[in-house]
Each structure stands twice: as C-alpha cells, then as structure tokens.
Amino acid sequence: MEKKIRVLLSQPSLENHSRGIITVANMLRNAGMEVIYISNSLPDQVARTAIQEDVDAIGISILCGAELIFGKDLVDKAKEFNMREDVIFMMGGIFPPQHIPKLKEIGFSGIFGPSATKEEIVGFITQNVSVN
Amino acid sequence: MDKTTKEILGEKIKDARWTPLYNPEALQRIDDTIGDWRETKVREADKKNWEVTPQTILGSKIPRNLFYGPSDVKDSDYLEDLGYPGSEPFTRGIHANMYRGRAFTRRQLSGAGSPEYVNKRIKMLLDHGATGMNLALDLPTVQMFDSDEPEARGHVGVVGVPVDCVADMEEIFKDIPIDKISASIVTHFPRNTAIIFPMYLVMAERRGIPWDKLEGSVQNDFIMESVVRNGPEFISPKATFKLQCDNIEFIRQNVPRWNYVTLNGYNLREFGSSGITEMAVALSNAIESFEEIIRRGHEVDWVAERVAFFWAPANDFFEEVARLRAVRRLWYRIMKYRFNAQNPRSMWMRCHVQTSGISLMREEPMNNVIRASYHALAAILGGAQSLHVDSYDEAYSVPTEESSLLSLRTQQIIEAETAVTQVVDPLGGSFYLETLTNQVEKAILDEIEEIEKMGGLSKCVERGWLQKKVSEFIHNEQDMIEKGEITIVGRNYYRTSDVKLPDIRVPDYPEGLEEKMKAKLDRIRRERDNNQVVRCLRNLKEACEKGENVTYHTLEAARSNATKGEMRRAIVEGFGPWRSGLIV
C-alpha cells in the first residue's frame, strides 16, 4: 500500500473567500492525495496542525492581502515548533506580482494565481514531495 | 403557507392572459413556410444541432436554438408579459423614461487604506463625476474584528477601510455632504450591518444631520454571512436571518430613505452558482423576510418599497439582459399576486450591478477591459439602476487609482457616446430575447419552488443544501475549463506560448496603519465612559437571548463608543456559536 501525500489546506483567520480552496481540495483528492482542511486559522494553529497531522505540504489561500505577514508568521512558527524540514509551503490566491519573489524568499516554493491548472498544482506537489 | 409561490402565480397569471400577440392566420403562414426554409436552407449538421447549450463561466445551461421567430413567443400576452416601461409588469423597466430621466448611478467602490485616505479618495471620485459612492470595508471590519485583535494582523486597511468605532466613520465622511450624496456601505452580513450601520447614524447625529435626510444602502444579507463567506466564527443561519429582519425593521422605522437590504445575488454567483440560483436564492430570501416582517405586524407596502437587489452580469450577453428583465417581471408578480402589494414601488425590482470579477482573467489583463465593458453593456440594456465596473487588474489586487478611473470611464463612454441609453428597453420584442426571458423566469421560479418545498431558505442553509450546490458547481466549472469546454481567450483558447506577468504595480500594504489604528483604539478605550460601554454590551447580549430587536441595542452601544469587536463578542455570546456548513 503506497503512502498517500498529505496536504494541509487553510486560510488566514479572516479570509472570507473559499472558491479557490474548494477548487484545489478537489484537484488534490482527484489526484489521490489526502486533504486535511482546517478552516480559518492563525499561523500557530496551522503550524501545530501540520505537525500533528504529519503533512507533506501546506497550502494557504489568500485573496485579501496579508500574504507576506501571514506567510512569514507561519514559516517562523514552523521553525519554532521544529516542523519537519521537507514540508513544502504553497500559497494560492490573489496577490500583487511584486510579492511573488518575496514569498519565495520567505519559504513558499509554490505560488499559484487564479488561473493555475490542475497539472501545475498537482505536478508541483508530486515533484517536490518524496513519499517513502 | 398552503401554496407555493409557483402555484399561486400559476393560478393568477392563467386568468390574466387574454390577448394573444399574433393572429392565428399569421402564425399558421409562418408555420407553413418555416418547414420549407429548414429543408432547403439549413444544413444537416445544424438541423441535428438545432439546440446548443452555451458553455460560459457562471452560465445557466439553458439551450439555444439556431434561430427564433414569432412562433417561439406566440403564447405571450403583450400587456400581461411586457407592457410599458414604468408600468406593470415592469419587464421593460421600472421608469417610463429610464435613462433619459436619470442615468444609472455610477457607483464605484471607494478603495482601501486609512480613514483619512479613503476620505480623499471619495472626494476624488465625486470630483470626477461619480454620483454616489460605495464604501468598501477592510476584512477585519467585514468580519467584525477590531484592528488590534490578533486575527486582524496584516489585514488592516488592505481591501477597504477600517472602521472600529464611530470616530472612524467621522473621519471617513469628514466634509462629505452625506445629506446630499447617497452612500452605499458594503456591510455584507446582517451581523455587521447591525454593528457598523449604527456607527454611520451616530456620526450623522453628531454632525446634526437628521436621519430622514440620509440616503444609501447596506447589504444585510444572511446568505452572505452563513453561506458565501468563510470565517472563524458563525452564529446559526436562523439567528442570522433574524438579525437581517431586525435591521430591516429598525432601518424602516428610523431611516426612511435608506435601502435596508441589498439582496446579494452577486457574491453567491461569484462564489459558484448559476445566474438562476443567484436570483432564486435572493428572491426566496426576500419572500421569507417579508413574511417575517408581516408576522411582526407590519404592512407589506410599508416595508417593500425600499428593497434592493445586487446582481452579477457575466459573459453570456443575451442571457444577462434576459435575466434582469425576467427577475423584474417575476418580482412584480410575487409582490402583486403573492403579497397583494398595492403600492407600485413595492413591485419594483431595483438593482445595483457589479460586473463579474470571476470572469476576469489573470492572463493578458487588458482583455478584461473588453470583458467588463460587455458585462456593463448587458446590465444597462437590462435596465439596471446602478453600476460598478470591475477593473482589469482584478486578478492581481484591489484596483489601483488608474484602473478604477478606467472603470468609471467605461461607464461614462457607454452612457455618453453610444446612445444606447436614448431608447428604453431597446432589445425588447426580440424573438430570442423574449423567449430567453420567459425561460429564465420559469427556471428561477422552479428553483424557488424547490427551496420552498424543502421548508424555506434558512432550512436549506442549515442542512447544507446550498453549500453542496455551490461546491458541485465549482467542481463542475473547473472541470469544464480544464477540458476546454468553456473557452477563455488567452488562457485555454488562443493562448500565447509566452505568458508574461504584466507590470501591475499595486500599492503596498499601508505602512504603519495597523499601529495607528491600535493607538487610536487605546485612546478611545481610555477616554470613553467604560461603565456605560459595559452596560450597553450587557443589554446587547441580553437582547439576543430574549429575542428583542437587536439593532436598537447596537445603536446604543455605538453611541457609547463601543467597538465592533466588543459588539461581535456580545452577539455571539447572546446567540451562541454555530459550525459553518462549508463543504471543501
């Protein structure tokens, strides 16, 4: 029995748009991954849950700004709680193009906008997660 | 209720149709010759595919014929189904002279940033010819969290303006003639309407402006709070619906020229539903609200003349024009036949429209200018009262000053240069458009029937019916885009191999605003009479528990300079929390 890739999906505590996250959850499930969805959460709740659930990837959906602040807080918390180092951080939603390099610097390797395809998102995860 | 809306309308309308539009001889001649035409002129392939269903973003799946003629509308009765603009059944418009008398209100959203900045921005839009304004609130304000709560971190002033208490309202509207300009405050939910709108009223009160001089709208839609939005905490759909009705009653009693509800089809559709569901849900919500207000002892005509709707015109151009005409007729029929309204104003479906944001693409963003122009044109040909045109950079950020000016210009060009506003309902009488209007009206009514048979909208939401419908719609639409069944120029159709990110420079996070708002909150909490605040919040919580009208108590809390977060917590304590039914 092959181990399934586990992905945690969440939104910042006040983010009120869900279309994107519903779309992505569906894509990942159809690709045979396990999706753990926790609704709106603060960075430390996301980090704690990711460790408890032993996930391989974290996807955050943001449309209303705060991507840099929330992103940095989340990565800092992950370090503080000694999260596994090979967990990949992804972000999807609407943010200004000039924030993409900054998000990569913070530690988000996968950044997806509203037009990202299933191939791009699923492909990114399968390439970057090593399931042993 | 013994009968459903559909059953009531079916009985009443049957008796009203008595003058067929065409004489039978003429129809017979058309039927005799059309067969010949089909045989000799129409290709086999087109005969086979006589009906096609357009596949568009947010489309309805109503099939279309190759061609429409008089036979398609032979059962119409002109006076019962169309009539004249400004007369029943209002299909052709709610005013006799429509845009000749008054152009659609050019109501663009007013931007984000600090209260002082937004004050300047509103003045800029008014100077450029905007005739109303649309106050966008930041995310913490929409979700009712104070600027200094941990959840608000990173969100203060980003997608709208922060309003923590009355002092912020005073700053936003400083020197703006609120007794002359209509203000639409985008509150979204019943709960934050109850919290934020009283702050506006207290601001007017402190400026000495009587409430009967105030004009504008709030949104106040429980579907927005319980289904469309996501958030860290909810109260039950039943409690949310009650708050919606409390707001309606309070505003009707105290602010006579204010639109107390904007039934928001827009956000439900953009979240993921067809234009049919968008309207069926909003109309069901209106029907149930009026039932509740009548149950509280008010007359239907007392409440109904101020209802407003909010729709999302998207890509299927003729369907969008048809939808506005169909929902205007259906609303009239519901008010006349189901509620026995007497005042014509109660039967008007007045609406604000915002062009569809979901239909705008990230690739080649300038294409969005063209898309939004068609959306806007459809809304105007459909007879909307008020319009916001989305901006080309929608898939990147909150619109910049430059792109929001271009949106305003889009409206002005249609209004001043194309002459489409010179004739009322210019597409009325088109065989195609009238057929589609009939089909759309029937489809909306069928879906209202479905909701009523399940026990009404609150129950549908509590059981997750609507949430499930939305999730399925999203999955299905995504699938169709991936398969290329829905074609999108620049994305899956004529996509250039080299997709470059455009150079869209959006203003960065408002530097230092969060700290400034926190300092302001500290100062206000120090300077106000905190005993008075505690008393008001306790009364508010008890009003929720006892079933009193809550809005009278949030007004008192606003007067005491209580903050939105403090009021939110009192309301949640009063009603108790509820788990969201979002299906991911």
Side-chain angles (χ1 to χ4, degrees), chain A residues 9 11-23 25-27 29-30 35 37 39-40 42 62-70 73 93-100 102 112-120, chain B residues 58 139-140 142-143 145 150-155 158-159 188-189 228-232 269-273 358 362-363 394-397 471 473-475 477-478 482 491 495 501-502 504-506 508-509 582-584:
Chain A
L9 296 178
Q11 298 136 294
S13 45
L14 299 185
E15 179 57 59
N16 55 357
H17 298 83
S18 310
R19 189 183 170 116
I21 212 160
I22 290 173
T23 306
N26 194 46
M27 284 176 182
R29 282 197 197 103
N30 289 345
V35 173
Y37 169 70
S39 179
N40 303 61
L42 289 163
I62 293 189
L63 284 91
C64 291
E67 59 277 356
L68 297 177
I69 292 175
F70 188 93
D73 286 355
I94 289 184
F95 19 77
Q98 72 260 32
H99 286 184
I100 293 173
K102 292 180 186 167
F112 302 96
S115 52
T117 61
K118 182 172 64 186
E119 287 73 23
E120 286 167 351
Chain B
L58 304 175
L139 198 56
V142 168
Q143 300 276 38
F145 280 70
E151 286 83 355
R153 184 168 148 73
H155 284 126
V158 177
V159 295
H188 293 312
F189 322 139
V228 176
R229 70 126 181 184
N230 207 1
R269 189 181 193 198
E270 290 276 299
F271 183 21
S273 65
I358 280 286
R362 196 172 164 83
E363 298 86 349
E394 207 75 32
Y396 291 91
S397 85
S471 281
F473 188 94
I474 293 172
H475 296 163
E477 187 162 271
Q478 181 64 20
E482 283 177 8
R491 178 164 168 185
R495 186 186 176 103
L501 274 183
I504 289 178
R505 306 301 299 169
V506 297
D508 243 321
Y509 189 68
L582 179 78
I583 298 165
V584 168

Side-chain angles (χ1 to χ4, degrees), chain B residues 261-547:
Chain B
V261 78
T262 306
L263 291 150
N264 180 343
Y266 183 93
N267 287 68
L268 178 67
R269 189 181 193 198
E270 290 276 299
F271 183 21
S273 65
S274 75
I276 304 299
T277 302
E278 170 189 13
M279 289 179 162
V281 168
L283 262 52
S284 300
N285 189 356
I287 291 168
E288 285 179 38
S289 302
F290 288 178
E291 295 276 354
E292 168 62 19
I293 296 291
I294 291 166
R295 202 189 55 77
R296 294 183 186 192
H298 304 290
E299 291 289 323
V300 74
D301 281 312
W302 174 81
V303 66
E305 67 165 3
R306 278 275 161 204
V307 70
F309 294 89
F310 177 28
W311 309 122
N315 287 354
D316 186 344
F317 186 83
F318 283 99
E319 181 178 293
E320 293 307 337
V321 180
R323 278 194 329 125
L324 290 176
R325 299 170 82 251
V327 77
R328 240 188 340 262
R329 181 164 69 202
L330 182 55
W331 181 242
Y332 152 81
R333 286 176 168 162
I334 288 169
M335 292 311 293
K336 187 179 175 78
Y337 296 131
R338 183 182 164 150
F339 285 102
N340 298 316
Q342 303 300 311
N343 176 358
R345 281 187 71 104
S346 306
M347 309 171 197
W348 288 358
M349 192 290 297
R350 298 177 309 139
C351 65
H352 170 66
V353 300
Q354 176 170 338
T355 61
S356 167
I358 280 286
S359 313
L360 303 184
M361 293 297 140
R362 196 172 164 83
E363 298 86 349
E364 303 176 22
M366 288 322 276
N367 296 349
N368 293 329
V369 177
I370 294 125
R371 290 185 181 108
S373 302
Y374 284 123
H375 301 162
L377 183 61
I380 292 161
L381 294 175
Q385 276 56 60
S386 153
L387 181 58
H388 166 97
V389 174
D390 273 358
S391 296
Y392 64 84
D393 46 7
E394 207 75 32
Y396 291 91
S397 85
V398 173
T400 56
E401 203 153 317
E402 173 206 40
S403 69
S404 64
L405 185 59
L406 187 58
S407 292
L408 181 60
R409 292 292 184 238
T410 303
Q411 302 197 33
Q412 289 165 333
I413 288 167
I414 296 174
E415 189 232 334
E417 299 184 22
T418 63
V420 297
T421 56
Q422 299 305 305
V423 173
V424 182
D425 191 30
L427 296 180
S430 145
F431 304 125
Y432 171 36
L433 187 72
E434 296 304 353
T435 307
L436 199 49
T437 302
N438 295 339
Q439 287 170 314
V440 167
E441 184 186 21
K442 183 183 176 307
I444 299 170
L445 192 54
D446 285 344
E447 216 162 290
I448 292 174
E449 173 93 347
E450 192 183 345
I451 291 166
E452 287 177 352
K453 287 199 159 156
M454 278 187 281
L457 199 53
S458 298
K459 283 217 173 62
C460 286
V461 172
E462 267 170 25
R463 290 185 196 150
W465 171 83
L466 188 53
Q467 294 87 331
K468 189 161 169 277
K469 205 175 166 75
V470 167
S471 281
E472 281 170 3
F473 188 94
I474 293 172
H475 296 163
N476 186 29
E477 187 162 271
Q478 181 64 20
D479 206 39
M480 289 173 78
I481 292 172
E482 283 177 8
K483 286 183 181 144
E485 289 165 8
I486 293 176
T487 44
I488 302 167
V489 172
R491 178 164 168 185
N492 64 5
Y493 192 67
Y494 299 120
R495 186 186 176 103
T496 48
S497 51
D498 173 27
V499 183
K500 281 200 218 49
L501 274 183
D503 185 28
I504 289 178
R505 306 301 299 169
V506 297
D508 243 321
Y509 189 68
E511 206 57 52
L513 178 56
E514 213 162 296
E515 288 63 39
K516 233 172 92 176
M517 294 301 290
K518 282 178 185 173
K520 195 167 163 184
L521 273 169
D522 287 343
R523 185 176 54 80
I524 283 163
R525 289 198 181 107
R526 265 199 320 272
E527 290 172 1
R528 66 187 184 182
D529 174 353
N530 279 303
N531 291 334
Q532 178 65 6
V533 174
V534 169
R535 255 195 313 277
C536 287
L537 292 172
R538 195 175 48 236
N539 291 344
L540 172 57
K541 174 176 169 270
E542 284 168 6
C544 298
E545 289 163 349
K546 289 181 195 153

Side-chain angles (χ1 to χ4, degrees), chain B residues 561-581:
Chain B
N561 295 317
T563 66
K564 61 176 184 276
E566 292 163 344
M567 291 195 228
R568 183 194 90 245
R569 287 189 290 275
I571 293 173
V572 174
E573 279 171 34
F575 282 116
W578 182 76
R579 257 191 80 74
S580 142

